[in-house]
């Protein structure tokens, strides 16, 4: 059995950026719950370097702490049982968003959501996503990882700061 | 060091607001605004709502004036302390007095701290605090008589004198039985000091912090602020807050204040700049 979790690469999840009041408490709870679901065995991380830090911080919150392997190389040649993917949708969903409002952002995130949750064979344009500040370095590995037709469980789907976050789980 | 103020314990890095509550008809800042007991209780209610952890109740103004007997001082503060104790069980109650008899009386009705603003003028005060289980604020006054103004006082080194006197006082308190966790030192700006002395104490407050004792600063609207900026009482808040920021950066722990909200904001901001306190809620650039 293989389990895969997607979390957003939100730096506010890192302990070095902790506030007295957690600005992402609901998201953090969803992330930690999903990461715990990955089990206590080794976990492969699919992420860019910042996302890897987020992944390691979330994994280190598990008890017991288990072996963590870094980002995978150019091609997936592993048969690991658990994967933690770090990525998110656009960061241009509102005037207060990091990338300000881009009218294309909502449609792009809708397409990405559909690809992630139900149609993993049909992925939106990566270059457009990068232009919308989407965090895709980990997500682009999912098409080769997820079997066709596998359905996602949606734990979190919101854009509290104009950035589209998902916490998703897959299992097959 | 953990700070224990009577029945209350605070973590090592906690900063505390000590709000001034005058039970006097003639204090310099408010001219008796809380002389009436109900007005004083309203002041307590206000500063608690503003987040003050401590109230400092005083029955005699610091400046020279009509002599107030110990009996009169007790009539002003003891019943009031008892009333506040009942109304606010989790509030730290400090009483500003130099008299051992008054200290004993207020400890008996629930005071947590004896704020001896006159630097141990009554040698038996520490015994009363020890017996009452209270903390003691050990201040530096240069040995002046209570309720007198400084007159041509000079020091070879005012900071060294403040450290020597307050640490000696602290050791005397511990020897009398006050818990080492319950001793606070205060350089006492303006007390036995001219403005240059108070400015130097502020500039070098870190040396007092380095003693390891928690440091209290009482800066609020004092004459050294007024003389530095040539501003009357009532126009000294900005100068007070500037001095507060310097003391906060140096690591002062307790701030005796008239304005709780403004001081808390300054101390929190400086504590975060110093890396001692996380921001309240930071998300900018971290989404």
């Amino acid at each position: 059995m293989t389990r895969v979790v997607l979390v957003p690469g939100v730096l506010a999840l890192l302990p070095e950026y902790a506030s007295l009041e957690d600005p992402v408490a609901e998201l953090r709870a969803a992330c930690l719950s999903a990461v715990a679901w990955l089990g206590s065995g080794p976990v492969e991380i699919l992420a860019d370097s910042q996302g890897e830090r987020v992944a390691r911080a979330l994994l280190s919150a598990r008890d017991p702490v288990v072996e963590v392997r870094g980002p995978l190389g150019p091609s997936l040649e592993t048969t690991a049982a658990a994967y933690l993917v770090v990525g998110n949708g656009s960061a241009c969903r509102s005037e207060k968003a990091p990338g300000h409002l881009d009218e294309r952002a909502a449609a792009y995130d809708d397409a990405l959501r559909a690809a992630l949750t139900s149609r993993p064979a049909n992925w939106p344009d990566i270059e457009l996503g990068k232009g919308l500040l989407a965090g895709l370095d980990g997500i682009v590995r999912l098409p080769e990882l997820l079997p066709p037709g596998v359905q996602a469980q949606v734990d979190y789907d919101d854009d509290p700061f104009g950035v589209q976050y998902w916490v998703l789980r897959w299992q097959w | 060091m953990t700070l224990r103020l009577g029945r209350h314990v605070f973590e090592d890095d906690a900063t505390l607001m000590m709000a001034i509550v005058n039970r006097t008809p003639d204090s310099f800042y408010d001219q008796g605004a809380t002389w009436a007991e109900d007005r004083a209780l309203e002041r307590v209610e206000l500063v608690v709502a503003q987040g003050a952890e401590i109230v400092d109740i005083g029955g005699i103004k610091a400046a020279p004036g009509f002599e107030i007997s110990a009996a009169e001082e007790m009539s002003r503060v003891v019943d009031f302390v008892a009333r506040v104790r009942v109304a606010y069980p989790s509030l730290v109650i400090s009483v500003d007095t130099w008299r051992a008899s008054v200290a004993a009386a207020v400890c008996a009705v629930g005071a947590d701290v004896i704020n001896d603003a006159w630097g141990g003028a009554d040698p038996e005060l520490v015994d009363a605090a020890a017996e009452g289980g209270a903390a003691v604020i050990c201040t530096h006054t240069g040995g002046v008589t209570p309720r007198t103004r400084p007159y041509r006082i000079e020091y070879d080194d005012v900071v060294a004198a403040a450290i020597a006197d307050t640490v000696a006082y602290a050791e005397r308190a511990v020897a009398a039985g006050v818990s080492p966790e319950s001793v606070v030192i205060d350089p006492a700006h303006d007390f036995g000091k001219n403005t240059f002395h108070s400015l130097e104490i502020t500039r070098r407050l870190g040396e007092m912090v380095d003693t390891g004792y928690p440091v209290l600063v009482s800066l609020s609207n004092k004459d050294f602020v007024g003389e530095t900026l040539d501003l009357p009482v009532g126009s000294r808040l900005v100068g007070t807050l500037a001095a507060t920021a310097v003391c906060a950066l140096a690591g002062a722990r307790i701030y005796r204040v008239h304005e709780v909200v403004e001081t808390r904001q300054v101390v929190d901001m400086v504590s975060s700049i110093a890396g001692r306190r996380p921001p309240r809620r930071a998300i900018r650039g971290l989404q």
Side-chain angles (χ1 to χ4, degrees), chain A residues 105-117 119 122-125 166:
Chain A
Y108 184 86
D109 290 331
D110 287 345
L112 185 54
R113 177 189 295 103
L116 288 167
T117 57
R119 292 185 290 116
N122 184 15
W123 293 84
D125 180 66
W166 294 287

Side-chain angles (χ1 to χ4, degrees), chain A residues 10-12 18-21 23 161 165, chain B residues 277-283 285-287:
Chain A
V10 180
L11 295 183
S19 293
L20 293 172
E21 296 172 4
F161 310 108
Y165 302 148
Chain B
R277 170 193 179 272
R280 172 64 58 191
R281 189 174 187 277
I283 193 64
L286 302 172
Q287 303 99 319

Side-chain angles (χ1 to χ4, degrees), chain B residues 188-209:
Chain B
H189 291 71
D190 273 4
F191 280 53
K193 298 171 188 68
N194 61 39
T195 288
F196 295 91
H197 294 143
S198 292
L199 292 172
E200 183 166 2
I201 284 280
T202 306
R203 184 163 60 247
R204 295 171 55 193
L205 194 80
E207 294 175 43
M208 292 202 75
V209 173

Side-chain angles (χ1 to χ4, degrees), chain A residues 128-170:
Chain A
L128 174 58
K130 290 181 177 176
L132 296 171
L133 306 182
L136 299 175
D137 283 9
I139 287 177
V140 296
R141 317 300 300 277
L142 282 171
E144 39 182 325
L145 181 63
L146 299 178
V150 66
Q151 295 293 305
Q153 174 183 319
V154 181
D155 288 358
Y156 186 97
D157 181 350
D158 204 353
D159 61 346
F161 310 108
V163 184
Q164 178 61 55
Y165 302 148
W166 294 287
V167 177
L168 304 177
R169 306 182 191 191
W170 295 267

Side-chain angles (χ1 to χ4, degrees), chain A residues 14 45 50-62 65 67-71 84 86:
Chain A
L14 295 171
I45 299 171
Q50 279 190 331
E52 182 186 358
R53 288 165 57 208
V54 173
R56 288 182 179 277
L58 292 170
L59 289 164
S60 69
R62 294 190 306 180
V65 176
E67 178 187 353
V68 176
R69 299 176 193 148
L84 180 53
V86 183

Side-chain angles (χ1 to χ4, degrees), chain B residues 197-278:
Chain B
H197 294 143
S198 292
L199 292 172
E200 183 166 2
I201 284 280
T202 306
R203 184 163 60 247
R204 295 171 55 193
L205 194 80
E207 294 175 43
M208 292 202 75
V209 173
D210 288 343
T211 64
Y213 288 103
V215 173
L216 179 150
V217 286
S218 182
L219 310 164
S220 200
N221 300 291
K222 282 190 167 174
D223 281 348
F224 85 97
V225 175
E227 290 193 353
T228 299
L229 300 177
D230 191 21
L231 289 172
V233 172
S235 301
R236 298 174 178 175
L237 177 57
V238 174
T240 296
L241 295 177
T244 299
V246 173
C247 293
L249 194 60
R253 297 281 303 280
I254 304 176
Y255 300 80
R256 183 176 180 272
V257 300
H258 298 102
E259 287 91 0
V260 173
V261 173
E262 294 86 347
T263 310
R264 170 50 77 191
Q265 288 181 11
V266 168
V267 171
D268 282 354
M269 189 69 204
V270 173
S271 297
S272 293
I273 291 168
R276 303 185 197 113
R277 170 193 179 272

